[in-house]
Amino acid sequence: MATRDSVEQFIQQCEDAIRYAEDQYSNAEQQEHYNDTEFTKAQEMLEQTYNGLMHLSLSCNAQQREQLNRMRLQLQQLQNQMTLLDH
């Protein structure tokens, strides 16, 4: 079973990954192809975070799983936006 602290730390990690990816998304919108390396790094970070979230959710209680599910939706939404961006 996941501890409350481990779930909170992971949610903080998710928020950091989202913040970084949002910055790279914003830069990519403005600079087009000048930002490919950082943009790709942000996408990879989101994917790794998503995979970690899915793994952690297997050992959570219902309340923790709900928190992680909300975070999962945010990660997926940003992943989709980054995939669809024509940069």
Side-chain angles (χ1 to χ4, degrees):
M1 176 119 147
T3 65
R4 183 175 40 151
D5 287 339
S6 66
V7 172
E8 288 177 7
Q9 287 175 349
F10 192 79
I11 287 175
Q12 181 62 47
Q13 180 183 337
C14 290
E15 290 171 349
D16 293 343
I18 288 171
R19 209 172 4 266
Y20 178 72
E22 286 174 340
D23 288 343
Q24 296 310 313
Y25 180 85
S26 177
N27 290 340
E29 282 183 314
Q30 297 170 5
Q31 298 177 4
E32 296 185 5
H33 293 287
Y34 297 108
N35 187 10
D36 284 342
T37 303
E38 292 297 316
F39 189 83
T40 302
K41 181 180 171 184
Q43 286 181 306
E44 290 172 354
M45 185 182 291
L46 285 177
E47 183 65 22
Q48 290 172 354
T49 303
Y50 176 84
N51 290 337
L53 184 146
M54 297 307 291
H55 181 70
L56 181 61
S57 69
L58 296 174
S59 61
C60 290
N61 64 32
Q63 181 182 5
Q64 292 168 330
R65 203 170 295 117
E66 179 60 31
Q67 285 180 297
L68 291 177
N69 187 46
R70 286 193 300 270
M71 190 57 63
R72 178 187 62 81
L73 294 173
Q74 290 179 35
L75 288 169
Q76 285 181 315
Q77 181 180 18
L78 188 51
Q79 282 180 310
N80 290 339
Q81 288 174 342
M82 292 182 86
T83 300
L84 296 174
L85 179 65
D86 185 25
H87 77 285

